[in-house]
Amino acid sequence: MTFADTSKYSETPYSDDDIAIWSGSDPAVAALVAKAAYGPDATLAVAWCALGAKVDGRATDGHFWFEVFCLLRTGETPATGFSSGTDSANADGKLH
């Protein structure tokens, strides 16, 4: 039995130069937006973003989402003046 040479059909994954959607973005801002949009599921949502970037071969985006993930896991997102539910902070940074 002879198998066809499939090497000419394989696609190479994207390199950092090909596509980087989140390059230059602020991970702290992305963490805040994720918390506002997904609430307690923000860490899980960001983990899926990191996994998707990794699978797509977008190393720069993967590193960005991993940094956002780490910020969410450690709770190091800066306080804001907008209300995003029970974890929101007022203008002086105190939780209410």
Side-chain angles (χ1 to χ4, degrees):
M1 181 180 292
T2 306
F3 293 98
D5 179 19
T6 60
S7 63
K8 62 183 175 183
Y9 301 112
S10 65
E11 293 183 31
T12 58
Y14 292 112
S15 70
D16 289 340
D17 296 332
D18 291 338
I19 188 168
I21 299 166
W22 298 100
S23 179
S25 300
D26 186 5
V29 173
L32 286 171
V33 172
K35 283 179 77 170
Y38 297 105
D41 294 328
T43 306
L44 179 61
V46 167
W48 277 108
C49 292
L51 180 62
K54 175 73 174 170
V55 169
D56 288 346
R58 295 179 287 123
T60 302
D61 290 346
H63 291 296
F64 169 80
W65 285 115
F66 181 71
E67 191 172 342
V68 175
F69 174 81
C70 290
L71 287 172
L72 289 170
R73 290 288 294 167
T74 60
E76 294 181 11
T77 54
T80 62
F82 66 88
S83 176
S84 62
T86 59
D87 296 335
S88 64
N90 58 18
D92 60 354
K94 295 181 182 176
L95 295 176
H96 55 95

